[in-house]
Amino acid sequence: MTETVGLLGYGRFGRALSGLLADAGIPHRVHDPKLDEVPPKLQAGSLADLTSRSTVLVLAMPVTAMHDALTSLRPLLSPTQLVIDVGSVKVSPVQALATVLGRDIPWVGTHPLFGPASLARGDARRTVVCPNSLHPGAAPRARALFERLGCDVTEMTPEAHDALMARTHVLTFFLAHGLVKAGVGKGIPFAPPSFQPVARLEEYARTEVPHLFNVVQSENPYAREARAELLTALTELHQGLEASAKAVRSPTAPPALLDVRQHIDQVDRELVSLLARRARLVQDAARVKSEHGLPFPDAEREASMLDIRREWAEHDGLHTGSIDEVFHAVLRLCRDTVNRPDEEP
């Protein structure tokens, strides 16, 4: 099938994609509010004009603008056409596609893992495609299109994609902008080779599209947890170094005891980290219960849970009475965290 592509948006990525389409000999047209920035031979003066010329419509725009764009586009579409989004997150765009287009108009979520900078470097081109059960033929059409552009295509669910991006894309942006905010690299007369990766991260944050940072941090449902885990790991590393330095400065205890204390400090740090993770899970449970009118806290669930924890303690040779006190405190800590006024309900 010979596709004709309509691009909605002619920003940095839209221009890059237009260039790839032209190189591959794929006919395409572009519609953008700033029409004067689009080459005349590519211009479609209206959505109706663009839609009438295209078998595939590509939403090359910020994720936050997609729902409104789809709503405007919907009356102009037919079931023979395919709508593709190219956002850097997938859960929320796919929800918008499913809500507005549903079963009537074929659609598929994609994430081209390339942009103007990587294309200029000649990096390998990869694209993620997220198949959906409503339109099983949509993913193969998208795959064929991106393969014509020289892409290696991987299929995964929107949730798996966003979880992977949270551990990579999200944290890269987070670290890069943190380095900029901390003033890393400013005013230094020279730097050792080991600093070069840090310098590249800092440059990446300064030159990347500003809105992309906000999108990957706010629209990815796994971003907050990924950032929290990174911060916890960095805090543990910092505190471990502080404890080691303090032990070196004040070697009043036997070396063997200092070693044991350092391990105890590390275990306690891990305990606090686990408590924080548990409190976040309880917050999620409270939110779900609130949505479904279920009781919080659930006394019956807590009693059953304590019985099981006592069995675990007995199996591991711990005092069961003391374990009751520990988990009563854990339950109280998690409830207090949920009920703090500065936390989300």
Side-chain angles (χ1 to χ4, degrees):
M1 177 180 183
T2 301
E3 305 282 19
T4 302
V5 176
L7 287 179
L8 279 75
Y10 201 62
R12 293 177 76 233
F13 181 78
R15 292 188 185 93
L17 185 56
S18 175
L20 290 180
L21 291 167
D23 291 344
I26 299 174
H28 66 286
R29 291 290 184 272
V30 179
H31 179 68
D32 189 283
K34 299 177 180 177
L35 201 58
D36 58 340
E37 297 183 4
V38 181
K41 65 179 182 179
L42 297 178
Q43 289 182 7
S46 66
L47 280 180
D49 181 29
L50 184 76
T51 307
S52 67
R53 296 167 177 257
S54 308
T55 60
V56 177
L57 282 302
V58 178
L59 306 178
M61 60 186 62
V63 170
T64 51
M66 285 183 187
H67 190 279
D68 289 345
L70 284 167
T71 302
S72 300
L73 193 63
R74 174 65 182 86
L76 306 172
L77 296 169
S78 73
T80 62
Q81 293 172 301
L82 171 66
V83 178
I84 293 176
D85 98 275
V86 290
S88 54
V89 295
K90 290 276 62 77
V91 170
S92 58
V94 163
Q95 288 173 345
L97 288 162
T99 299
V100 179
L101 304 183
R103 295 179 179 275
D104 299 327
I105 307 297
W107 55 266
V108 66
T110 76
H111 180 195
L113 297 167
F114 56 83
S118 64
L119 290 174
R121 292 193 301 267
D123 294 349
R125 301 170 196 168
R126 298 184 64 89
T127 298
V128 174
V129 173
C130 301
N132 70 85
S133 59
L134 297 180
H135 302 285
R141 283 180 71 180
R143 171 186 281 274
L145 176 63
F146 282 107
E147 286 178 345
R148 283 191 65 186
L149 301 181
C151 295
D152 180 13
V153 178
T154 301
E155 295 187 1
M156 61 176 55
T157 67
E159 292 76 16
H161 168 276
D162 283 3
L164 176 62
M165 290 298 105
R167 301 196 306 273
T168 54
H169 207 192
V170 166
L171 293 185
T172 297
F173 270 92
F174 188 55
L175 283 169
H177 282 257
L179 292 170
V180 171
K181 196 173 183 64
V184 172
K186 282 187 176 180
I188 56 175
F190 62 89
S194 60
F195 183 76
Q196 294 310 309
V198 175
R200 285 195 293 271
L201 266 182
E202 192 265 352
E203 181 184 9
Y204 180 66
R206 286 188 290 101
T207 57
E208 195 51 66
V209 179
H211 81 266
L212 195 54
F213 174 71
N214 294 324
V215 167
V216 299
Q217 301 300 330
S218 63
E219 296 293 331
N220 188 318
Y222 305 97
R224 181 175 182 270
E225 182 178 358
R227 293 194 307 268
E229 289 179 356
L230 174 63
L231 290 173
T232 297
L234 290 173
T235 300
E236 290 176 0
L237 181 62
H238 171 68
Q239 292 181 341
L241 292 170
E242 288 289 290
S244 297
K246 185 176 180 181
V248 170
R249 291 193 301 267
S250 307
T252 55
L257 179 57
L258 289 174
D259 185 57
V260 172
R261 286 175 176 174
Q262 186 172 343
H263 283 83
I264 290 173
D265 288 341
Q266 179 62 27
V267 169
D268 286 350
R269 177 64 254 180
E270 292 172 8
L271 283 173
V272 172
S273 177
L274 288 172
L275 288 170
R277 287 180 57 190
R278 190 186 195 282
R280 289 195 294 271
L281 291 170
V282 171
Q283 284 181 308
D284 293 340
R287 189 178 297 111
V288 173
K289 287 185 175 184
S290 175
E291 292 170 356
H292 293 273
L294 298 173
F296 178 81
D298 184 336
E300 184 176 345
R301 154 72 179 163
E302 289 185 357
S304 172
M305 186 195 72
L306 288 171
D307 288 341
I308 294 171
R309 274 54 175 174
R310 277 194 292 271
E311 292 177 7
W312 293 347
E314 186 173 5
H315 179 270
D316 288 337
L318 296 173
H319 188 270
T320 54
S322 297
I323 212 71
D324 270 0
E325 296 176 13
V326 168
F327 274 96
H328 278 300
V330 169
L331 291 172
R332 186 168 60 253
L333 171 66
C334 292
R335 283 197 294 267
D336 289 346
T337 301
V338 171
N339 294 327
R340 269 168 41 186
D342 59 332
E343 294 284 344
E344 294 181 6

